[in-house]
Every structure is written in structure tokens, then in C-alpha cells.
Amino acid sequence: MRRFIILLTVFYCPLSVLNAQEIFRFETTVHDFGQVLLSDGPVSHSFKAVNVSSSPAVIQSVITSCGCTSVKWDHNPIAPGKSTVVSATYSNDEGPYPFDKTLTVSIVGVSRPVILHLRGTAMEKLRTDAEIYTYRFGESLALSSDSFKCVNIEQGESRGDQTTVANLSDKAAAVTFANVSEGLKVEVKPNPVPAGGHATLYYTVSSMPGKWGRNLYKATPVVNGKSTGRSITVTAHTTENFSSLTREQKSKGSRPVFAESTWSFGHKKQGTKVSATFKCVNKGAAPLHIYKVDSEYEGVSAAIPAKDVAPGAEGTLTVTLDTKNLPKGEALVIVSLTTNSPQRPIVNLFFAGIID
């Protein structure tokens, strides 16, 4: 898939090193078209934003995730309190599939962009809600999935997203949540969800001190006061926050360099345990610390080094892979390290082989 980049360079006085949402406040960062027919042709949406800062601000660039999406925006400075729009059009010609196209909006003088999403499901003919929202929660509430992912979260920050829920019953559904994991916020709007109608489920994960790497957050929907007995799951990966460091300070941090990033175990019988020792040298100027070792495959365990790896020193990481739940055939298991390295906060290592 081609990547389509629209870029305008503007020489303008920097505002500050902030998140772009602190300059332009978008009314929403996600637009879900729902079902769209391929015969409908291109679909469009305009994201409205207000300059909430005290100075004029300029949208420097909007980068789309694919050539199937085109964008337009006002290249001129937007005065404080004034609004603007980023208009996007999706070509809707990629076949009958769900789509999620991103627009990365960068502001002059601002270090972190805003990510906008165009979502929907393109199809040749319309489907019923019961066919689309197949994950049932009680007699009325339904979603298209029961598991969701957040983008990486840095310590001290929160990240969230949203999805559509359907009420498949002929009565309004008031939705609350029980057994909500610490750090997770989840809500439905509008609430109650109209009979036979739709609403948006918003979920937000906030980082917590000492909680690193990949973590699962859960919540159990309660509909009209009755527990559905089933949870939704949100996965988020928490990393160190280096945003307050200067470029020079970042360059003086730790920097793990692994001799080999892939451990090939050849042919192994299903159920065999395989251990690998990955060696790395800390080529940075500060001690290397590994906060956590994760894998989406549950059969991975690791012995994190008891001591930090000093600058110039070599460290080893022993990882064990239990292959009993891997399907037969070629296997590739990713192991992710969350570190204190500004240059490599996440390091991916790999197990590769064939399960007989």
C-alpha cells in the first residue's frame, strides 16, 4: 500500500514544546462511518478544532497513513479562540473490509502531533447489527470485539480510544461497569443506549508508577443493573517518559545493543521448552535498566538481570519459551523489553523455528 504524504513547511515562531491537543483542541479525534457500501464511492469527514492557546497557531502538515486518503486544511495562522477544520476523504475502493485510516496532524513549534482516525466497514451489501456486533453482553449489549488495544503510554500520561456498541433489544439499555481495573476508565455515551440503536464506548488507560510494559485492563459491563458476566479487555504498553529531556540528555542515556536479536531453535517437538540467552552491550553513558519483559504469547518467561548493566558492560537476558500452545509449523514469537533507554525504550527480540 502506497503512503501518501502532504507536507507544507512553514517558518513561524514556535509556540512551545507541547502536545498538539494543547494548541488545537479537536472536538473528536475519531470518526466512524459505520457501514459504507462500495457503491457509495468516496466518503468524507471534517474534523473541527479550536485554537485554545494564547497565540496564533499553524497546522504545519497532515500525513495520511495511505494514498487512499486525501486531506485539506487551512495553511494560514489561526487566531486564538478561532476554529478550523481538517477535511479528509477516503477513496473507499480497497474492497469489502474494515478500515482505519490515520491522519497525523503536526503543529508548528509543537513536538507531539494529534492522531485522527477515519474508521468504518466497507461492504458490498449492508449487514444487520446482529451480524456485525457478534460479541454479546447480556441480552441487549453487543460489540464487534471484546478486546482492544491502546497505543503506547508514557509514564504520567493517559491514552484512550473508542468503539461502537449496539443495543440489539427493544428496550433502552443503561450501561455501567463493574470490576474495573485500576488505571482504566470506561464509559458509554449516550447512556442509556436507545432501543435498537448505537452508542460510543470510550476507554482510557492512565499510567501508574511502577507498572511497566504490557498490561491487561478489564471491565465488566452491567446492563440495567444486571451484570453481563463477561468482561472487555484493553491492552496497553507503558514506557518511560523522556519528554522532559533535552536531545543532549537523551544522548547520554543507556543504549542496549544486542549481538543477536533472533534466537533460532530449529525443529522442536510441540511441548518442548526452549531457553535462549540474549547478550547485549550497554553502549550508552548511563546504566541500563530493564523494567519488564513481555510477550503476547503466554508461554514466555524471563529472568531479568538483578543488576543494572553499567556503561560499556555486557549483560545477559535468559528467556524460556514453552512451545506447548504453539501451532505446528513455522513459529515466530516476539519478546518485548521495556527499558530506561531514551533511544530504545522498547527492544524486540525473537524466537524463530519450526514446531513438529
Side-chain angles (χ1 to χ4, degrees):
M1 186 178 292
R2 294 180 295 113
R3 191 174 186 191
F4 184 57
I5 298 179
I6 301 177
L7 180 62
L8 171 69
T9 302
V10 179
F11 295 97
Y12 195 75
C13 181
L15 293 168
S16 58
V17 181
L18 297 171
N19 186 301
Q21 277 277 50
E22 297 177 68
I23 304 299
F24 281 111
R25 184 70 47 81
F26 282 83
E27 289 184 348
T28 179
T29 57
V30 177
H31 179 73
D32 193 333
F33 292 103
Q35 297 185 68
V36 294
L37 294 175
L38 291 172
S39 58
D40 291 340
V43 291
S44 301
H45 178 73
S46 292
F47 293 91
K48 184 179 179 180
V50 176
N51 180 357
V52 295
S53 73
S54 58
S55 304
V58 176
I59 296 178
Q60 176 176 342
S61 65
V62 180
I63 300 176
T64 67
S65 59
C66 127
C68 56
T69 308
S70 60
V71 290
K72 295 180 180 179
W73 73 96
D74 190 344
H75 298 166
N76 299 309
I78 307 300
K82 298 298 182 179
S83 62
T84 188
V85 296
V86 174
S87 299
T89 298
Y90 168 57
S91 61
N92 189 26
D93 60 359
E94 296 183 304
Y97 305 108
F99 59 88
D100 186 349
K101 307 302 178 181
T102 60
L103 315 174
T104 302
V105 183
S106 297
I107 313 301
V108 172
V110 179
S111 61
R112 298 187 180 185
V114 173
I115 308 298
L116 307 177
H117 292 263
L118 288 178
R119 292 176 178 166
T121 302
M123 52 188 61
E124 294 176 344
K125 64 179 181 178
L126 295 180
R127 293 186 294 168
T128 65
D129 280 351
E131 292 174 318
I132 298 173
Y133 303 100
T134 57
Y135 290 78
R136 301 291 295 269
F137 294 81
E139 297 178 357
S140 55
L141 198 68
L143 290 86
S144 59
S145 177
D146 62 354
S147 59
F148 309 94
K149 289 185 178 182
C150 276
V151 296
N152 291 348
I153 304 172
E154 296 182 347
Q155 283 289 351
E157 294 189 338
S158 300
R159 290 286 187 272
D161 208 333
Q162 63 190 63
T163 190
T164 300
V165 299
N167 180 356
L168 302 183
S169 73
D170 58 1
K171 297 180 180 179
V175 183
T176 57
F177 294 89
N179 307 316
V180 182
S181 299
E182 184 180 7
L184 175 65
K185 179 181 178 182
V186 58
E187 59 183 338
V188 169
K189 294 181 180 181
N191 198 359
V193 185
H198 302 89
T200 302
L201 185 151
Y202 300 89
Y203 54 91
T204 303
V205 175
S206 298
S207 64
M208 291 182 288
K211 195 165 187 175
W212 299 97
R214 181 177 181 270
N215 294 288
L216 299 180
Y217 302 82
K218 295 184 178 183
T220 303
V222 177
V223 180
N224 293 330
K226 184 178 180 180
S227 175
T228 60
R230 180 178 185 174
S231 296
I232 62 170
T233 301
V234 179
T235 305
H237 195 117
T238 301
T239 64
E240 184 62 274
N241 191 331
F242 303 105
S243 61
S244 63
L245 300 182
T246 65
R247 181 176 298 181
E248 182 180 2
Q249 289 172 325
K250 291 178 181 179
S251 68
K252 293 181 179 179
S254 63
R255 185 165 68 91
V257 176
F258 282 80
E260 299 288 344
S261 61
T262 301
W263 183 276
S264 297
F265 56 81
H267 286 259
K268 293 295 180 183
K269 185 178 180 180
Q270 191 177 49
T272 303
K273 290 186 178 181
V274 181
S275 291
T277 298
F278 294 93
K279 295 183 179 181
C280 79
V281 174
N282 179 7
K283 294 192 175 182
L288 169 66
H289 182 74
I290 299 175
Y291 293 114
K292 193 180 179 186
V293 178
D294 287 301
S295 177
E296 293 191 6
Y297 175 64
E298 295 182 353
V300 169
S301 59
I304 298 176
K307 295 182 180 180
D308 291 350
V309 181
E314 182 180 83
T316 59
L317 177 71
T318 301
V319 184
T320 300
L321 171 67
D322 188 341
T323 66
K324 67 178 181 179
N325 292 321
L326 286 176
K328 292 185 178 181
E330 293 184 355
L332 180 66
V333 176
I334 302 174
V335 179
S336 298
L337 281 57
T338 303
T339 80
N340 69 339
S341 171
Q343 299 178 54
R344 303 192 70 189
I346 299 178
V347 179
N348 287 327
L349 304 174
F350 305 89
F351 276 96
I354 298 176
I355 307 298
D356 297 323

